[in-house]
Amino acid sequence: MQRNSRAYPGILSASILLVTGCSPLTFRTPVSSLHGSPPASWENSLTGHSGRISTGWLETFHDSDLMATVDAAMDRNQDLAAAAARMRAAKYQQLAGRARVKPDASLLTSGSVSRSENGRAPAQSSESYGLSLSTSWELDVWGRLRDLNAADEADQVATEALFRGARLSLAASTARSWCNLIAAEQQLELAHITLDSFQRNLRISERNYKGTGQGALDVQFGRTNVASAQRDLESRRLARDEAARTLEVLTGRFPAGTTRAGHELPTLPKKVPAGLPSELLDRRPDLTAARASLLASAHRAHASRKSLLPSLRLTSSAGTPVSGFSQLLNPDWLVASIGANLVQTLDTGGAQKLEARAALEQNQAAVHDYQQVALTAFREVESALDADQSLARQEDFLVAEVEQAALAERQSTRDYADGIEGSDILDVLEAQRRANNARSSLIRLRNERLLNRIDLHLALGGDFKTRGA
């Protein structure tokens, strides 16, 4: 389905209404829509590629070594392990927060020993022990505690979404590093080829100079180019090793720079499917987290308003001092008194009303945060789709450029080696420079296309088909 003047209803407002409209909370400010409706589908997508499940989108690149490397990163990456620990910690905090709806009990023990002496009389000693038990239970008459629990649950959803986002980001980063390492290896191979070519030219120039006594300048040019190619070779080797270290850190290995990823870039799927639905963005982890945070702020704002209402709390206590420690276990001494205390919140200086207003503003800020996250998501997808087509067209032009530059390089080198009249070493060097630059550019461009396709999957939150978080 193609986009028509961007007149389709966007998912942003619908998503926020899904979060807010079905809730009994009535205090939130209505959500305004974006300026310019998001598309129902992206017009820059083309036909010809079937979707894959979100957890398997890397399979479309047909590189088993890449998949194995991503799996290794998932198992050993330290940042992901830390994110998993934070997610578990958040879950425990959520479970701990549920205790607010249960009775609260505390047990306090005390003891003292005194000794007195009076002249020649035997020393007198006394001891006293005490045990007190108190309980308190707030009855959730207005649902304030339920709102707080609901906010904690929404926070947990946000934390889990961020963890899924960390996994997706790690997969994309590892895939990018894998492609960068292969591209760096290809650039290093090209540097070797370039050096060999310049060395051959230098040998020809030196042979001509020895035979005719002419062409001293050609020899100097040749030696200059060889030195330049040797320097470039070292630079390419350094870049390759640094790319390897980046990948090693992602996969939890010591950054020795010894990892090698082969010589061929992964296969780039030819086309993006036509009419990608914009609803795919609903599964993006950052949007899921933003929606959950919006809901959490709404529940907390509602709880803050309810805190201005009277609260009903049941309390009981029992305990008495005894003269012997063993008597602490005597059940006869545990006498409880239970009372219902209706407490009207005292509005000291209007502080609680101000806190309630602050909570409402936090909820409004969460609405704007969600809108901004959604706008960023749309921009990332639009940019990746546009770049996908542009880079494909650039590659077509660059392939033709490489072919023509290679023909010119071979012809000029052959003419110069054969001593054909009119041939010049400067023509050879210029032809070689253009051919090598074109080859290097083609390596970069093909890698850039792969990186952009990875970014597209990252922007969409997965493959081209599966909906939902």
Side-chain angles (χ1 to χ4, degrees), residues 167-404:
R167 286 179 58 86
L168 179 62
S169 178
L170 176 60
S173 297
T174 304
R176 288 175 61 89
S177 296
W178 177 265
C179 295
N180 286 335
L181 179 55
I182 295 176
E185 189 68 47
Q186 290 180 344
Q187 295 284 9
L188 181 59
E189 291 178 3
L190 178 60
H192 277 291
I193 294 173
T194 301
L195 177 59
D196 291 340
S197 177
F198 286 157
Q199 288 174 336
R200 286 195 302 271
N201 290 339
L202 177 59
R203 288 193 294 269
I204 295 174
S205 298
E206 290 175 338
R207 183 188 65 194
N208 292 340
Y209 177 69
K210 291 178 181 179
T212 64
Q214 297 179 352
L217 185 60
D218 294 350
V219 173
Q220 295 301 322
F221 277 136
R223 290 173 180 174
T224 300
N225 284 334
V226 167
S228 176
Q230 289 172 333
R231 176 182 58 82
D232 185 63
L233 181 64
E234 285 301 317
S235 177
R236 298 296 185 183
R237 183 180 291 112
L238 179 62
R240 189 273 312 275
D241 293 344
E242 186 60 28
R245 292 187 183 97
T246 299
L247 183 61
E248 287 163 349
V249 169
L250 287 172
T251 54
R253 298 173 55 193
F254 181 81
T258 58
T259 297
R260 298 295 176 261
H263 301 281
E264 296 297 329
L265 287 167
T267 301
L268 178 69
K270 295 300 182 182
K271 295 179 180 178
V272 177
L276 288 177
S278 58
E279 286 81 1
L280 287 177
L281 285 183
D282 273 337
R283 67 189 177 177
R284 269 184 57 137
D286 55 348
L287 276 172
T288 302
R291 284 195 299 269
S293 297
L294 172 58
L295 185 58
S297 69
H299 281 294
R300 288 196 173 93
H302 211 14
S304 180
R305 292 188 63 186
K306 291 176 180 178
S307 66
L308 300 176
L309 301 174
S311 63
L312 184 63
R313 184 181 298 274
L314 299 177
T315 62
S316 66
S317 62
T320 183
V322 295
S323 59
F325 185 79
S326 62
Q327 297 182 38
L328 292 176
L329 302 180
N330 187 348
D332 294 337
W333 126 161
L334 296 174
V335 179
S337 63
I338 301 177
N341 301 322
L342 186 64
V343 180
Q344 174 66 50
T345 302
L346 299 178
D347 187 12
T348 306
Q352 288 193 322
K353 288 184 179 179
L354 293 176
E355 289 176 357
R357 289 183 176 274
L360 289 172
E361 292 300 329
Q362 289 292 340
N363 176 244
Q364 188 63 29
V367 171
H368 294 301
D369 288 341
Y370 177 74
Q371 289 182 322
Q372 186 60 44
V373 171
L375 282 172
T376 300
F378 282 120
R379 180 193 62 78
E380 291 174 353
V381 175
E382 291 281 7
S383 297
L385 287 171
D386 193 26
D388 189 83
Q389 293 192 48
S390 176
L391 292 173
R393 291 190 294 267
Q394 291 180 49
E395 183 175 355
D396 291 338
F397 297 136
L398 191 51
V399 167
E401 180 182 344
V402 169
E403 292 176 351
Q404 294 302 315

Side-chain angles (χ1 to χ4, degrees), residues 74 79-88 157-170 285 289:
M74 293 296 176
D79 287 336
L80 187 63
R86 283 190 288 269
M87 181 183 66
R88 293 191 297 269
V157 171
T159 302
E160 293 175 353
L162 292 176
F163 177 69
R164 292 197 303 272
R167 286 179 58 86
L168 179 62
S169 178
L170 176 60

Side-chain angles (χ1 to χ4, degrees), residues 8-30:
Y8 298 95
I11 65 167
L12 177 61
S13 298
S15 297
I16 298 179
L17 289 176
L18 180 62
V19 173
T20 61
C22 298
S23 170
L25 310 180
T26 58
F27 60 88
R28 286 193 294 274
T29 304

